[in-house]
Amino acid sequence: MATTTLPRYALRRQLSLPSRTRVAHIPSHISQQQRRRVSAYGYEQAKALTFRDYGEPSDVLSLHSHSISPAHSNLLTLRFLASPINPADINQIQGLYPSKPTFTTSLGTPYPLAVAGNEAVAQVLSTGSAVSALSKGDWVIMNRPSLGTWRTHAQLPESAVLKIDNHEHLSPIQVGTVSVNPCTAYRLLRDFVPLTPGDWFIQNGANSGVGRAAIQLARAWGYRSINVVRARPDDPAATDALRADLTSLGADIVVTDAELQARDFRDRVAEWTHAGREPLKLALNCVGGKPALALAKQLAPHGCMVTYGAMGRKPLEVPASLLIFRDIRFAGFWVSEWAARHPGEKKKTVEHVLNLMREGGFRDAPVERVEWGWETKGEELVRRVEGTLEGFRSGKGVFVFGEE
Ligand SMILES: NC(=O)c1ccc[n+]([C@@H]2O[C@H](COP(=O)([O-])OP(=O)(O)OC[C@H]3O[C@@H](n4cnc5c(N)ncnc54)[C@H](OP(=O)(O)O)[C@@H]3O)[C@@H](O)[C@H]2O)c1
């Protein structure tokens, strides 16, 4: 491994040692081992994808190195294991997300920086003396958004994280992606319309992380699903493969957006639901715009459409007739706000999904692993963040961090 010898003033700055620390007290072997992540003083070397201003990820994100002082009081030093690149993370970097990150100089810069990323699993490396319920080696997920998860290490208060019990049979990617998409799907199916086994729902964006989770939870609970996906442009084989993939997860019906817009689609719904004797009560909207309206029109009177995503970036326009004559209810859901109001329920929801994973009843969504080792260049990490909001992707990007 290559080593770097720094002048002692630079070394003291890099280790974030107080200026009064006598350089003579810094053992010489630290300067010989800058690539090591822990100094003899317990300072953890860390790297983070950060931004100073809102903007496009390729314009504003950069990799920043810093050091983390030993954990004290209620603080934990964490090593991240896996962190997804979710659409909301991009919206947050663009400044378009309601949950704002903290811009701070605590990473040793003269100007405030924010760390990107909202969801992750991390391992506890060390704990302050007032930490009561966590110890070295535990796995934790974030208790709230905007803590900054695209980083190798962090120091956070104990209250910011949720312990994951019995993680032995779970992968970092499973745990690191459980709290947003599967939890959202879970609450969408549970909290808006009382569904019982045999009941139907319809959703667009059915191949999204949320959509795939909804299909699998529905299968576990006996609900039946009509799933809308976008046809793969000029590639019928890929569209068929997507249908087969979702069917293998437990989807009852998979149709394309063109089929949904066709005149006879209501007749097909009537056929599937036995002329409405099994009414379509719930629609889950990931997309917005015309595809969402087409979804709402399939609902039985008094049905409910819940919007949780806006991937099509078009507003939803609703004709008055759907409200007046059919009494269709339009609702929205945001998992961050829900989790803040129901912390106990969030823990139970996460545990329930993780149990399904342990039992083999919940397949991972397709991911593109982005290996983040100590030597990985910032440009490479930023390149992998780009394109997250574009369609027809083979899988969600997930940062997977290297060994301790
Ligand atoms: N409200 C909440 O609490 C909450 C929680 C989780 C997620 N979300 C939101 O849910 C959405 C999906 O998130 P995710 O992480 O599940 O997504 P994901 O796994 O990254 O998948 C993205 C989905 O969006 C579709 N898509 C992309 N561009 C599109 C476009 N222009 N028009 C229509 N569909 C398009 C993709 O379909 P193709 O494969 O056809 O491109 C795919 O189904 C995002 O808007 C996200 O912010 C909200």
Side-chain angles (χ1 to χ4, degrees), residues 181 184 207-210 230 232 308 311 333 335 391-392 396:
N181 287 346
T184 298
N207 63 323
S208 67
V210 177
R230 297 196 300 172
R232 284 16 222 162
Y308 68 91
M311 291 304 293
F333 178 77
V335 72
F392 309 119
K396 181 185 288 293

Side-chain angles (χ1 to χ4, degrees), residues 5 7 27 63 68 91 96-97 115 123 127 158 209 237 246 259 263 265 271 289 298 301-302 307 325 337 357 398:
T5 304
L63 192 62
I68 294 174
N91 296 147
L96 304 176
Y97 200 58
V115 180
Q123 187 175 36
T127 57
E158 184 179 20
L246 297 190
E259 289 175 80
R263 280 178 182 277
F265 193 73
E271 204 179 299
Q298 310 309 322
H302 317 295
T307 293
F325 305 120
E337 190 269 345
M357 288 176 180
V398 180

Side-chain angles (χ1 to χ4, degrees), residues 240-259:
D240 288 345
L242 186 54
R243 283 184 207 264
D245 185 19
L246 297 190
T247 304
S248 73
L249 289 182
D252 295 273
I253 309 283
V254 185
V255 295
T256 63
D257 45 0
E259 289 175 80

Side-chain angles (χ1 to χ4, degrees), residues 85-89 91 97 179-185 188 204-212 228-233 242 257 285-288 291 307-313 332-338 365-366 388-397:
I85 307 170
N86 284 319
D89 300 327
N91 296 147
Y97 200 58
S179 64
V180 175
N181 287 346
C183 278
T184 298
L188 292 173
N204 58 25
N207 63 323
S208 67
V210 177
R212 287 169 180 275
V228 185
V229 294
R230 297 196 300 172
R232 284 16 222 162
L242 186 54
D257 45 0
N285 173 28
C286 169
V287 175
T307 293
Y308 68 91
M311 291 304 293
R313 295 176 231 183
F333 178 77
W334 185 25
V335 72
S336 305
E337 190 269 345
W338 170 83
T388 297
L389 293 184
E390 283 160 24
F392 309 119
R393 288 166 59 86
S394 57
K396 181 185 288 293

Side-chain angles (χ1 to χ4, degrees), residues 74-304:
N74 67 339
L75 295 176
L76 310 163
T77 301
L78 301 175
R79 174 175 87 88
F80 283 87
L81 302 175
S83 177
I85 307 170
N86 284 319
D89 300 327
I90 309 301
N91 296 147
Q92 187 178 58
I93 295 164
Q94 293 168 325
L96 304 176
Y97 200 58
S99 171
K100 304 294 181 201
T102 305
F103 287 86
T104 169
T105 54
S106 67
L107 303 188
T109 48
Y111 42 82
L113 281 180
V115 180
N118 291 278
E119 186 183 22
V121 59
Q123 187 175 36
V124 176
L125 288 184
S126 59
T127 57
S129 57
V131 170
S132 57
L134 288 167
S135 45
K136 186 176 175 194
D138 285 344
W139 281 19
V140 295
I141 60 172
M142 306 300 108
N143 232 345
R144 52 177 193 268
S146 302
L147 292 168
T149 57
W150 294 356
R151 50 171 142 189
T152 60
H153 300 79
Q155 195 164 79
L156 293 175
E158 184 179 20
S159 61
V161 301
L162 188 63
K163 183 180 173 193
I164 299 298
D165 294 317
N166 307 320
H167 61 76
E168 289 73 20
H169 300 295
L170 298 165
S171 72
I173 291 182
Q174 285 176 314
V175 180
T177 57
V178 73
S179 64
V180 175
N181 287 346
C183 278
T184 298
Y186 193 114
R187 300 324 317 179
L188 292 173
L189 290 176
R190 281 280 160 103
D191 295 347
F192 292 87
V193 169
L195 295 177
T196 52
D199 280 348
W200 287 91
F201 71 97
I202 188 167
Q203 63 169 343
N204 58 25
N207 63 323
S208 67
V210 177
R212 287 169 180 275
I215 291 169
Q216 299 188 78
L217 291 169
R219 181 187 56 186
W221 297 334
Y223 310 154
R224 288 178 289 178
S225 57
I226 301 171
N227 298 278
V228 185
V229 294
R230 297 196 300 172
R232 284 16 222 162
D234 307 320
D235 195 348
T239 308
D240 288 345
L242 186 54
R243 283 184 207 264
D245 185 19
L246 297 190
T247 304
S248 73
L249 289 182
D252 295 273
I253 309 283
V254 185
V255 295
T256 63
D257 45 0
E259 289 175 80
L260 171 72
Q261 304 278 355
R263 280 178 182 277
D264 70 343
F265 193 73
R266 288 199 71 179
D267 299 337
R268 296 178 70 190
V269 170
E271 204 179 299
W272 297 323
T273 60
H274 299 103
R277 284 197 299 281
E278 298 157 359
L280 196 48
K281 298 176 179 176
L282 177 67
L284 307 180
N285 173 28
C286 169
V287 175
K290 282 190 180 154
L293 178 58
L295 212 64
K297 285 181 174 170
Q298 310 309 322
L299 284 169
H302 317 295
C304 175

